[in-house]
Amino acid sequence: MKVLVEAGRLAEEGTPFALATVVAVERPCSARVGDRALVTAGGELHGWVGGACTEPEVIRLSLGALADGEPRRERIESRCASEGAVEVLIEPHRPALLLSIVGDAPAARTLRELAGVLGWRATSTIEAADAVVIASMGRGDEEALEAALAFGAGYVGLVASAKRAASVTAELRERGVDEESLARIRSPAGLDLGPSAQEEIAVAILAELVAWRHTRGPSPAELVEEAIDPVCGMTVAVAAAKETAVRDGITYYFCGPHCRKQFEAAHV
């Protein structure tokens, strides 16, 4: 696989990945300066950055970089018999927020422009969107809201008066939408600025979206579960670990087959 070609393809389709580049080596080492690998969000590594002892560490670092969005430069010492070390630059590539804007009201048009300023991707398609703002001025509000809730958008906002929002909510309740889902609808969408022009409403929605994006859920970095290889002591990303063993109901994770075989041999 040509790593940079694949990286370009993933970037084009909005798929997250991390690019790992060897920037320094200490012999003996099988990697060379300039070697590259691509790591997917699922923990798959494509390319070459060193041997079996290097790859699990690169995967772990890449998943961490994808979680917090920060690049990192790390020295990885081989714990195998070959010894040596590599220094790797990890560059995360995360797709910009995908914002679905339904409708063509002045607030919607302004919001599309502002989303572009922040580098967000704007679409009118609800499926797969991270956030959905409905500004259709009463035309198909209920259907759009049902779709946004069904597809699991993290932010669902409706541009409407409080009276109109209550009417839409009542209609959705009649259609069988549960209370937990209805509670996810933000309406009127945006920060409360009092009586506002359509363009000001767009700014208020953008501010609320920025706040939502920075405060939703736990830190992604906290969700990257790690374990210690009981043989060599290397930290392994659980989600990407290919070598595991179970003893007394406990799952152990290993950097590679060599450590797993040592562990199993010692526990026969």
Side-chain angles (χ1 to χ4, degrees):
M1 173 189 290
K2 295 183 178 179
V3 172
L4 293 182
V5 172
E6 179 65 7
R9 185 187 71 80
L10 293 177
E12 181 70 21
E13 67 181 30
T15 300
F17 67 92
L19 187 64
T21 305
V22 177
V23 295
V25 299
E26 294 179 19
R27 302 297 179 188
C29 180
S30 57
R32 298 176 299 176
V33 172
D35 283 343
R36 291 188 177 94
L38 180 152
V39 179
T40 69
E44 296 180 359
L45 184 145
H46 305 282
W48 178 257
V49 284
C53 285
T54 302
E55 287 189 359
E57 186 69 0
V58 169
I59 291 172
R60 182 183 71 84
L61 293 169
S62 295
L63 292 178
L66 282 172
D68 61 27
E70 296 294 329
R72 56 205 67 194
R73 180 169 174 160
E74 299 282 349
R75 182 176 181 273
I76 303 172
E77 295 183 2
S78 173
R79 306 195 186 193
C80 305
S82 59
E83 300 181 338
V86 296
E87 193 168 333
V88 181
L89 174 65
I90 309 289
E91 299 171 283
H93 295 262
R94 302 194 299 179
L97 180 137
L98 181 58
L99 172 62
S100 172
I101 305 171
V102 180
D104 198 40
R109 294 195 294 270
T110 302
L111 186 57
R112 288 189 186 95
E113 295 175 6
L114 294 174
V117 172
L118 292 182
W120 294 354
R121 298 172 293 154
T123 180
S124 59
T125 302
I126 293 175
E127 184 177 359
D130 299 305
V132 177
V133 175
I134 298 164
S136 49
M137 306 300 289
R139 300 180 183 89
D141 289 349
E142 292 85 357
E143 290 74 19
L145 284 169
E146 277 190 296
L149 294 172
F151 284 120
Y155 174 102
V156 180
L158 173 64
V159 179
S161 65
K163 183 177 180 180
R164 169 63 183 162
S167 175
V168 171
T169 300
E171 173 62 24
L172 290 175
R173 188 177 289 111
E174 286 292 323
R175 296 186 183 192
V177 178
D178 61 78
E179 293 300 323
E180 183 177 353
S181 296
L182 291 175
R184 292 172 48 207
I185 300 173
R186 303 177 186 231
S187 187
L191 301 182
D192 185 6
L193 302 181
S196 304
Q198 285 279 309
E199 292 75 13
E200 293 171 330
I201 291 172
V203 173
I205 294 171
L206 187 75
E208 187 173 63
L209 281 166
V210 170
W212 163 78
R213 193 180 186 209
H214 285 287
T215 59
R216 53 176 173 165
S219 167
E222 296 173 4
L223 303 180
V224 181
E225 186 179 359
E226 298 176 343
I228 302 297
D229 184 322
V231 176
C232 69
M234 178 180 287
T235 303
V236 180
V238 169
K242 297 179 180 178
E243 302 293 336
T244 64
V246 178
R247 284 286 182 276
D248 300 323
I250 300 173
T251 302
Y252 296 89
Y253 300 86
F254 305 92
C255 67
H258 179 71
C259 284
R260 176 183 56 77
K261 290 176 182 177
Q262 275 192 286
F263 178 84
E264 291 176 336
H267 291 79
V268 172

